[in-house]
């Protein structure tokens, strides 16, 4: 930890949230002649790298200046009255729960901007692409930093429009349908969520998330809490995505450009589960007790459903799309996150938060790798890659094949890598849920979820066998191995996946004190 004053920390957090918006506006302006380089398009893509890199540096400085001895304390707080008539305040702050998600968002967005600089997405002008990328980053960072319910809703909604256009304008086949499905599902869920947030704010007399968490639901009758959890939970469940509200997800990443898929799965899905932890667990504990078994049940169904869908896509002759397969795998992985949250125990919630970060790193890497495969072969169809083009990555592009195998075994939860700890802690939490929850029911969920880990291993190993192994065909086209810019974009994800797997305390040391206090009655 570096000793940084609270005022500097406040500035850094506000800077992290606001500077992407300033960068988005600057991206739409004409580039000065001296900065154009080879072309105006190159200049605006370089601007995207600079802006997201600046945000990442500020986020890392926040992490270094964070008081790691008191991670349950809200730090870098700013609290300014904004709309007095509605008691809405510009209230920002971070603790051990939000800081890892903030850094993950800044890192993935920077890596996406770096990747796009060397591999610009096919489509309209890069100006709009960079501007939308930065607006998306600002909305996501704000979601993890704001401490007011209405500001949370605004930030939560802010990401919809840029992601819609990234899919609709720079996506591949079926992009229009996928974009509309994405925005309609999330908007409908958000309308219901807003009603729940307003109900809490009106009944409690404040929209301040810290005050509400500290109150721990004492000022909200149980009936109000139940209604609020139902309304807010629907909006959060759509974004998570929870089965059966997941059906927008398998269409969106396959249609999105590579960086859109990375950010959608790596960051946007975390906004839903973060809302469960930050809002519903501490503010409406009685309502969560009522719905926890149902959340766990839907999460477990998602684990099995996602795994079976992936197995169906992976088998020979199914014409399974690799991007769609990874999207379905996310339904299963987020099912573990929901199971951990539903246990309402420190062990389960810590597992959920760990799995959130691990999924962002691993799935982000998987989408990068599949995007690179599509660039080289023109297809993400598994049958085409395995038979027609004869990918055989171990023989033709060994470094690319090795990275794909690494990401696959990380995704299936191999011990020693990041994917293991979150799922294991979620299962431990489900083995002994919070008082008042049915232990036989959660033991059943534990057994089913554990079986889901076997299914995950099965489909991931099938993918590795079909894409990476096999003899190199003489008539198969050549495949370029990992390029320098790809290595630069992917290496941080590989390193962090290993570090988190071998040193889980680095992350759990941040989240555990904050989770303990959150479940006990709020955040000071």
């Amino acid at each position: 930890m570096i000793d940084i004053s609270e005022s500097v920390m406040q500035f850094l957090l506000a800077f992290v949230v606001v500077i992407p918006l300033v960068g988005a506006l600057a991206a739409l302006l004409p580039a000065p002649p001296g900065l154009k380089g080879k072309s105006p398009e190159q200049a605006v893509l370089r601007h995207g790298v600079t802006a997201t890199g600046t945000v990442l540096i500020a986020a890392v400085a926040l992490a270094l200046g964070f008081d790691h001895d008191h991670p349950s304390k809200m730090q870098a707080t700013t609290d300014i009255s904004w709309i007095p008539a509605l008691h809405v305040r510009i209230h920002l702050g971070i603790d051990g729960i939000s800081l890892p998600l903030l850094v993950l968002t800044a890192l993935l967005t920077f890596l996406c901007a770096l990747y796009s600089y060397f591999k610009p997405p096919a489509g309209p002008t890069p100006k709009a692409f960079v501007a939308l990328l930065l607006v998306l980053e600002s909305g996501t960072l704000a979601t993890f930093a704001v401490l007011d319910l209405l500001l949370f809703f605004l930030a939560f909604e802010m990401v919809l429009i840029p992601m819609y256009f990234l899919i609709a304008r720079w996506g591949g086949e079926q992009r229009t349908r996928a974009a509309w499905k994405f925005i309609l599902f999330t908007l409908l869920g958000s309308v219901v969520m807003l009603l729940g947030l307003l109900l809490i704010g009106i009944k409690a007399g404040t929209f301040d998330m810290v005050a509400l968490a500290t109150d721990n639901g004492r000022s909200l009758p149980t009936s109000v809490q139940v209604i609020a959890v139902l309304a807010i939970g629907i909006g959060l469940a759509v974004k998570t995505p929870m089965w059966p509200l997941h059906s927008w997800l398998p269409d969106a990443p396959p249609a999105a450009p590579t960086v859109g898929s990375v950010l959608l799965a790596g960051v946007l899905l975390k906004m839903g589960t973060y809302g469960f932890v930050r809002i519903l667990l501490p503010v409406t504990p009685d309502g969560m007790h009522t719905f926890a078994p149902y959340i766990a049940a839907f999460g477990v169904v998602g684990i099995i459903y996602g795994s079976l869908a992936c197995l169906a896509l992976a088998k020979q002759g199914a014409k399974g799309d690799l991007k769609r397969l990874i999207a379905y795998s996310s339904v299963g992985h987020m099912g573990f996150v929901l199971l951990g949250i539903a246990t309402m125990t420190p062990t389960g919630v810590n597992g959920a938060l760990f799995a959130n970060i691990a999924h962002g790193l691993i799935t982000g890497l998987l989408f990068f790798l599949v995007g690179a495969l599509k660039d080289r072969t023109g297809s993400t169809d598994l049958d085409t890659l395995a038979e027609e083009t004869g990918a055989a990555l171990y023989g033709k592009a060994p470094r690319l094949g090795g990275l794909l195998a690494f990401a696959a075994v990380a995704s299936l939860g191999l011990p020693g890598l990041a994917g293991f700890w979150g799922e294991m802690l979620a299962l431990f939490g489900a083995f002994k849920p919070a008082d008042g929850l049915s232990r036989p029911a959660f033991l059943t969920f534990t057994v089913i979820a554990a079986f889901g880990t076997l299914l995950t291993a099965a489909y991931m190993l099938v993918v590795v066998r079909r894409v990476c192994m096999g003899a190199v065909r003489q008539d198969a086209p050549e495949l370029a191995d990992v390029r320098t810019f790809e290595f630069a974009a992917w290496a941080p994800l590989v390193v962090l996946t290993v570090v988190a797997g071998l040193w889980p305390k680095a992350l759990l040391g941040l989240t555990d004190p904050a989770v303990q206090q959150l479940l006990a009655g709020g955040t000071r």
Side-chain angles (χ1 to χ4, degrees):
M1 184 186 74
I2 298 176
D3 188 15
I4 300 178
S5 68
E6 181 66 15
S7 59
V8 174
M9 292 285 285
Q10 290 173 353
F11 170 78
L12 284 173
L13 183 57
F15 180 87
V16 161
V17 173
V18 173
I19 202 63
L21 288 178
V22 177
L25 291 174
L28 298 175
L29 299 175
L35 297 179
K36 285 185 179 180
K38 294 181 180 179
S39 67
E41 287 76 14
Q42 186 189 49
V44 74
L45 291 169
R46 186 168 59 246
H47 167 76
V49 176
T50 303
T52 55
T54 303
V55 172
L56 177 59
I57 291 171
V60 171
L62 265 176
L64 293 174
F66 188 79
D67 184 357
H68 291 259
D69 294 328
H70 301 92
S72 60
K73 175 186 175 184
M74 276 296 171
Q75 302 179 35
T77 54
T78 299
D79 192 2
I80 304 169
S81 178
W82 184 36
I83 308 176
L86 298 177
H87 306 290
V88 179
R89 307 182 68 82
I90 298 177
H91 192 180
L92 305 176
I94 52 171
D95 64 358
I97 294 172
S98 51
L99 178 63
L101 290 166
L102 201 81
V103 175
L104 174 68
T105 300
L107 173 65
L108 283 179
T109 312
F110 169 71
L111 296 180
C112 285
L114 182 66
Y115 186 86
S116 299
Y117 176 73
F118 292 98
K119 188 69 180 178
T125 169
K127 278 181 175 289
F129 176 84
V130 171
L132 290 168
L133 190 69
L134 290 169
V135 172
L136 180 69
E137 179 181 35
S138 180
T140 310
L141 291 169
T143 301
F144 300 135
V146 298
L147 297 172
D148 182 277
L149 289 181
L150 291 186
L151 277 185
F152 174 85
F153 176 78
L154 292 176
F156 196 85
E157 296 303 288
M158 184 176 168
V159 305
L160 300 185
I161 300 302
M163 182 52 72
Y164 167 81
F165 281 110
L166 285 174
I167 298 172
R169 300 297 299 277
W170 286 271
E173 297 179 5
Q174 302 294 322
R175 61 180 182 269
T176 303
R177 177 177 179 272
W180 275 109
K181 199 170 183 180
F182 162 75
I183 200 165
L184 287 177
F185 263 77
T186 48
L187 277 178
L188 288 173
S190 297
V191 169
V192 183
M193 183 175 75
L194 177 60
L195 296 176
L197 295 173
L198 290 173
L199 176 64
I200 289 176
I202 292 169
K203 289 294 184 180
T206 180
F207 290 99
D208 187 278
M209 290 159 66
V210 175
L212 288 166
T214 304
D215 181 69
N216 202 219
R218 285 182 285 270
S219 63
L220 296 172
T222 300
S223 59
V224 171
Q225 292 189 36
V226 169
I227 295 171
V229 170
L230 180 61
I232 298 170
I234 289 173
L236 298 175
V238 171
K239 189 67 72 74
T240 296
M242 176 197 291
W243 182 93
L245 302 175
H246 69 284
S247 59
W248 63 269
L249 181 65
D251 291 327
T258 296
V259 296
S261 302
V262 170
L263 293 176
L264 182 60
V267 176
L268 264 65
L269 303 189
K270 314 304 175 283
M271 295 165 63
T273 51
Y274 173 78
F276 276 104
V277 175
R278 176 64 73 199
I279 299 173
L280 295 185
L281 278 178
V283 177
T284 56
D286 295 339
M288 277 296 291
H289 261 93
T290 300
F291 282 102
Y294 302 101
I295 294 172
F298 287 139
V300 168
V301 171
I303 293 170
I304 301 300
Y305 172 83
S307 298
L308 291 176
C310 289
L311 277 172
L313 289 169
K315 70 179 182 179
Q316 188 172 359
K319 291 293 181 183
D321 185 282
L322 261 182
K323 292 182 80 173
R324 183 177 294 273
L325 186 148
I326 297 169
Y328 269 115
S329 76
S330 295
V331 176
H333 289 305
M334 300 313 287
F336 278 101
V337 176
L338 289 167
L339 177 62
I341 293 170
T343 68
M344 299 186 70
T345 62
T347 301
V349 176
N350 275 305
L353 294 172
F354 200 106
N356 256 347
I357 301 299
H359 180 264
L361 296 171
I362 297 166
T363 306
L365 178 59
L366 277 169
F367 274 122
F368 269 133
L369 292 167
V370 174
L373 268 178
K374 185 174 184 179
D375 291 338
R376 288 160 169 76
T377 65
S379 176
T380 54
D381 181 86
L382 192 53
D383 287 338
T384 302
L385 291 172
E387 278 86 30
E388 294 179 27
T389 61
L393 292 182
Y394 288 160
K396 297 169 66 175
R399 287 188 290 275
L400 185 60
L403 282 172
L404 183 60
F406 169 84
V409 297
S411 182
L412 63 83
L414 185 73
L417 299 176
F420 172 77
W421 294 108
E423 295 181 2
M424 187 57 60
L425 289 172
L427 292 174
F428 282 155
F431 185 76
K432 190 176 181 181
D435 294 339
L437 297 177
S438 170
R439 194 176 184 208
F442 273 83
L443 284 175
T444 304
F445 298 149
T446 304
V447 172
I448 297 172
F451 178 68
T453 62
L454 299 178
L455 295 178
T456 303
Y459 70 74
M460 279 298 179
L461 293 176
V462 169
V463 169
V464 171
R465 177 179 60 79
R466 297 193 66 199
V467 178
C468 297
M469 299 180 183
V472 179
R473 286 170 39 186
Q474 297 299 320
D475 60 340
E478 293 293 325
L479 285 183
D481 213 337
V482 178
R483 302 181 177 99
T484 303
F485 76 91
E486 292 172 331
F487 179 80
W490 305 340
L493 302 179
V494 174
V495 171
L496 290 173
T497 298
V498 174
V499 170
L502 296 178
W503 191 30
K505 184 182 177 182
L507 185 54
L508 293 173
L510 281 173
T511 62
D512 185 53
V515 168
Q516 296 274 2
Q517 184 163 291
L518 203 69
L519 294 175
T523 304
R524 290 187 292 273

